Amino acid sequence: MLPPGWDALGKRSFASDAFDAVLHGREDYRPEDIAYFSGFRPPPGFLKTLPRLKAMFSLGAGVDGFLRDPDLPRLPLTRFVDPTLMHEMAQYVVMHILIAHRGQRAFDRAQHQGQWQQHMLQRASRDTRIGILGLGDIGAAIATSLLPFDFQLSGWSRSRKNLAGVKSFAGADELPPFLAQCDYCVCVLPLTDATRGILNAETFAQLPKGAWVINVARGGHLIENDLIAALDGGHLAGAVLDVFRSEPLPPESPIWKHPKITATPHIAGITDARAAFAYVADCVMRCESGRPLENVVDPTRGY
Ligand code: NAP
């Protein structure tokens, strides 16, 4: 079964003589005919109404949209791991770090005021430290994309990593020393009980003065009021946010007009429909032929 909002492309690439696909919310179906579900944020309680469901396939790299459901069936759940998505996420982060590092916003302002205003770089890239919270598929792709620019790179994860040119910090004990050396702190963690609200006042205080925060993970990682206080108080220099606690960002949110925040509407990595449906078809074929699924989520870990 495919989610609402996806056009017939997915249905055509997925349905065959052997299987049929239905678009939930757009087409009628009998719940007992559904063997597989694919989507991003199924309404809590919905999946338990499908009595013959065999497996669930997330159309996003994150699965918090599934695991928030207290009635989630105890069935295999996979997440979408796609090179194109990883490249897009990496492009987004590299672009925003370079814009901030090179002071490009000041040149934009000067141009619009008709001013020829030269500035020196505030800090060489070799003296600039970039830390990535979450060194999984996307975090590693971001780190690899940053390698040619000569920044000092590090990452924080649960398990120790061995990634060329990237210093590895692991586990809760190594979070404070990790934070203390981040001029740019990029969050690309999954949203779990252990990571919810991890970008908070205490975290920000541990970052060096003048640090930047870039959140491309989930809005639930960030305590937005703490971020605004750290920016207004001058401890943090700026923030780039792609995800928010409430999406779309409510009109009354101070984030919209904050001079030190760049906000984008959850577009850092957009799931490519063709790749997504090839993945769904592959998952179904694996299940039907008894082959193991890939990228199966561990519900106890939460990702
Ligand atoms: P992933 O491959 O599962 O990697 C997750 C990383 O986080 C791993 O390195 C993991 O450590 C680490 N981690 C998890 N819990 C931790 C904890 N408690 N302490 C320390 N490290 C922890 O996931 P991914 O594919 O990179 O995706 C990451 C997230 O990006 C997704 O969950 C999603 O929320 C977000 N995302 C956002 C967009 C967007 O458009 N903004 C698009 C795609 C994805 P280990 O390696 O040791 O397990």
Side-chain angles (χ1 to χ4, degrees), residues 40 58 60-68 77-79 218 297 302-303:
F40 189 57
S58 168
V63 289
D64 46 292
F66 281 78
L67 297 181
R68 68 183 177 149
L77 167 64
T78 62
R79 61 189 202 89
R218 287 286 183 263
V297 170
Y303 68 100

Side-chain angles (χ1 to χ4, degrees), residues 40 59-64 79-82 85-86 88-89 92 132-142 156-161 169-172 175 187-196 198 215-219 221 241-243 247 264-271 295 301-303:
F40 189 57
L59 286 178
V63 289
D64 46 292
R79 61 189 202 89
F80 184 48
V81 177
D82 176 43
L85 184 77
M86 289 181 220
E88 284 184 11
M89 295 288 286
Y92 180 97
I132 302 168
L133 286 163
L135 212 47
D137 291 310
I138 297 172
I142 292 170
W156 181 69
S157 42
R158 281 198 343 165
S159 54
R160 183 84 52 208
K161 304 290 176 199
F169 292 80
L175 182 59
C187 179
V188 66
L189 287 162
L191 185 63
T192 68
D193 289 345
T195 65
R196 194 177 308 279
I198 193 167
N215 187 20
V216 289
R218 287 286 183 263
H221 288 116
L241 307 177
D242 184 53
V243 286
E247 295 182 3
T264 53
H266 201 148
I267 46 72
I270 297 173
T271 298
N295 302 308
R301 250 180 12 166
Y303 68 100

Side-chain angles (χ1 to χ4, degrees), residues 1-16 19-43 45-59 66 69 73 77-78 276-277 279-281 283-284 288:
M1 189 164 69
L2 306 171
W6 287 68
D7 63 18
L9 166 69
K11 184 165 165 160
R12 272 202 313 277
S13 61
F14 178 69
S16 67
F19 311 112
D20 196 9
V22 290
L23 291 162
H24 173 62
R26 287 215 243 151
E27 292 171 305
D28 290 333
Y29 61 89
R30 299 188 318 160
E32 58 272 30
D33 289 341
I34 303 301
Y36 303 102
F37 172 85
S38 185
F40 189 57
R41 287 176 72 83
F46 165 68
L47 291 166
K48 78 167 183 194
T49 67
L50 306 175
R52 303 229 173 99
L53 194 65
K54 296 189 211 171
M56 305 165 290
F57 316 126
S58 168
L59 286 178
F66 281 78
D69 181 353
L77 167 64
T78 62
F277 288 111
Y279 143 77
V280 174
C283 288
V284 171
E288 291 295 310

